[in-house]
Amino acid sequence: MLATAPDSKDTPMVNSINVDELLESAGRSIQVEKDVPLTLDMGSLTAFDMQPVEMSKLGQGKARDAFLMNLTRDNTQLLFNSLFSLPSTVVEKVKCVQLPAPTTKLPREKPIPKPKTLTKWEAFAKSKGIQKKKRGRMLYDEVAKEWKPRYGYKKAGSDKEQNWVVEVPENGDPYKDWLGEKEDKKKEKAAKNELQRLQNISKEVKLKSEAINQTVKQAHKSTASLGKFQEKSKDEKKAKAKGKHQKFAPVSGDTSSEKEKSLALISKISSSSVSVNKEKAANQELGATIKRSREAERENRANKRRSKMGVKAQTKHFDKKKRQVSRSGKDKSKR
């Protein structure tokens, strides 16, 4: 909603304002013609002039300033003409214009914030589907028939009034301070909650510091020297290079190491004492023997089957096999 000049007439709705009559009295021209029309975004009250500027008209010094002033004035005039042509209403004797929705998408000033890390309890509640329910501060006591605070102001006094006696278990020591033990458990629970709260804070701070360190290391690596000559902060540690680095033998200088490696390789090849894995060789021989026996057994079964068949049956069988082979060859040639 944009407010304009106040109006004496209290009219509920005005379709448009006569800009010509309003500004002609001031001796100013409101009709502006441009070869390329402006791109207007009335929702953001912005105008974009896409018309190219001729360098000959731009000039220098005062001529340039006068040209830019006239160009700005014309574009602003077109923007206000569109603004005054929008429907307007009167609110408390002030004309207000309802702006349309903006069409220009502006970039964010800062990046989208990352989601906050969950605490241990929040992660557990999310996994179990526990929803947070807001409880009232006051709780009705059925014994005292009155409302007592659940926490905060006057909570300690109500606890003393309610828990002035403790029931001793059957096998419990009657001379033990059960009230004192209950107070100690309460203090331990409070200390545990405080410890968990501090752990959650330290975890969040650690994650933030790790993210900052990672960003700094990435920025250092993006330089040509991989951060070698980059200035480091006070407590910043030197970044360790990750991954394996392959080492190559020197191509010049002392060649004694290369000579020793070559001699060791030659002696290993020429040596007669070759280590043989006897168990592996025996297993390979056993596997080959089993394979040969299976092939022989398969051949014997085939011979027995042929001996049982007659001469005609054998010829029919072999003719059928030949036809199948010739048919498969024709299919392949067609393909």
Coordinates of all heavy atoms in Angstrom, one line a residue, residues 53 57-58 61-75:
V53 N 22.1 3.5 -25.5 CA 22.5 4.9 -25.4 C 23.5 5.2 -26.5 O 24.6 4.5 -26.6 CB 23.1 5.3 -24.0 CG1 23.5 6.7 -24.0 CG2 22.1 5.0 -23.0
K57 N 25.6 11.2 -28.3 CA 24.7 12.1 -27.5 C 25.2 12.2 -26.0 O 24.8 13.1 -25.3 CB 23.3 11.5 -27.5 CG 22.6 11.6 -28.9 CD 21.2 11.1 -28.8 CE 20.5 11.2 -30.1 NZ 19.1 10.7 -30.1
L58 N 26.0 11.2 -25.6 CA 26.4 11.2 -24.2 C 27.3 12.4 -23.9 O 27.1 13.1 -22.9 CB 27.1 9.9 -23.9 CG 27.4 9.6 -22.4 CD1 26.2 9.6 -21.6 CD2 28.1 8.3 -22.3
G61 N 31.5 16.0 -19.6 CA 31.3 17.1 -18.7 C 29.9 17.5 -18.5 O 29.0 16.6 -18.2
K62 N 29.5 18.8 -18.6 CA 28.2 19.2 -18.3 C 27.1 18.7 -19.3 O 26.0 18.4 -18.9 CB 28.1 20.8 -18.3 CG 28.9 21.4 -17.2 CD 28.8 22.9 -17.3 CE 29.6 23.6 -16.1 NZ 29.5 25.1 -16.2
A63 N 27.6 18.5 -20.5 CA 26.6 17.9 -21.5 C 26.2 16.5 -21.1 O 25.0 16.1 -21.3 CB 27.3 17.9 -22.9
R64 N 27.2 15.7 -20.6 CA 26.8 14.4 -20.2 C 25.9 14.4 -19.0 O 24.9 13.6 -19.0 CB 28.1 13.6 -19.8 CG 27.9 12.2 -19.4 CD 29.2 11.5 -19.0 NE 29.9 12.3 -18.0 CZ 31.1 12.0 -17.5 NH1 31.8 11.0 -18.1 NH2 31.6 12.7 -16.6
D65 N 26.2 15.3 -18.0 CA 25.3 15.4 -16.9 C 23.9 15.8 -17.3 O 22.9 15.3 -16.7 CB 25.9 16.4 -15.9 CG 27.2 15.9 -15.3 OD1 27.5 14.7 -15.4 OD2 27.9 16.7 -14.7
A66 N 23.8 16.7 -18.2 CA 22.4 17.2 -18.6 C 21.7 16.1 -19.4 O 20.5 15.9 -19.1 CB 22.6 18.4 -19.5
F67 N 22.4 15.3 -20.2 CA 21.8 14.2 -20.9 C 21.3 13.1 -19.9 O 20.1 12.6 -20.0 CB 22.8 13.6 -21.9 CG 22.3 12.3 -22.6 CD1 21.4 12.4 -23.6 CD2 22.7 11.1 -22.2 CE1 20.9 11.3 -24.2 CE2 22.2 10.0 -22.8 CZ 21.3 10.1 -23.8
L68 N 22.1 12.8 -18.9 CA 21.7 11.7 -18.0 C 20.5 12.2 -17.1 O 19.6 11.5 -16.7 CB 22.9 11.4 -17.1 CG 24.0 10.6 -17.8 CD1 25.2 10.4 -16.8 CD2 23.6 9.3 -18.4
M69 N 20.5 13.5 -16.8 CA 19.4 14.1 -16.0 C 18.1 14.1 -16.7 O 17.1 13.7 -16.2 CB 19.8 15.6 -15.6 CG 18.8 16.2 -14.7 SD 18.8 15.5 -13.0 CE 20.3 16.1 -12.4
N70 N 18.1 14.4 -18.0 CA 16.9 14.3 -18.8 C 16.4 12.9 -19.0 O 15.2 12.6 -18.9 CB 17.2 15.0 -20.2 CG 17.4 16.5 -20.1 OD1 16.8 17.1 -19.2 ND2 18.2 17.0 -21.0
L71 N 17.4 12.0 -19.2 CA 17.0 10.6 -19.3 C 16.3 10.0 -18.1 O 15.3 9.3 -18.1 CB 18.2 9.7 -19.7 CG 18.0 8.3 -20.0 CD1 17.1 8.0 -21.1 CD2 19.3 7.5 -20.2
T72 N 16.9 10.4 -16.9 CA 16.4 9.9 -15.6 C 15.0 10.6 -15.4 O 14.1 9.9 -14.9 CB 17.4 10.3 -14.5 OG1 18.6 9.8 -14.8 CG2 16.9 9.8 -13.2
R73 N 14.9 11.8 -15.7 CA 13.6 12.5 -15.5 C 12.5 11.9 -16.4 O 11.4 11.6 -15.9 CB 13.8 14.0 -15.9 CG 12.5 14.8 -15.6 CD 11.7 15.0 -16.8 NE 10.4 15.6 -16.5 CZ 9.4 15.6 -17.3 NH1 9.5 15.1 -18.6 NH2 8.2 16.1 -17.0
D74 N 12.8 11.5 -17.6 CA 11.8 10.9 -18.5 C 11.4 9.5 -18.0 O 10.2 9.2 -17.9 CB 12.3 10.8 -19.9 CG 12.5 12.1 -20.6 OD1 12.0 13.1 -20.1 OD2 13.3 12.2 -21.6
N75 N 12.3 8.7 -17.6 CA 12.0 7.4 -17.0 C 11.2 7.5 -15.8 O 10.3 6.7 -15.5 CB 13.3 6.6 -16.8 CG 14.0 6.3 -18.1 OD1 13.4 6.3 -19.2 ND2 15.3 6.0 -18.0

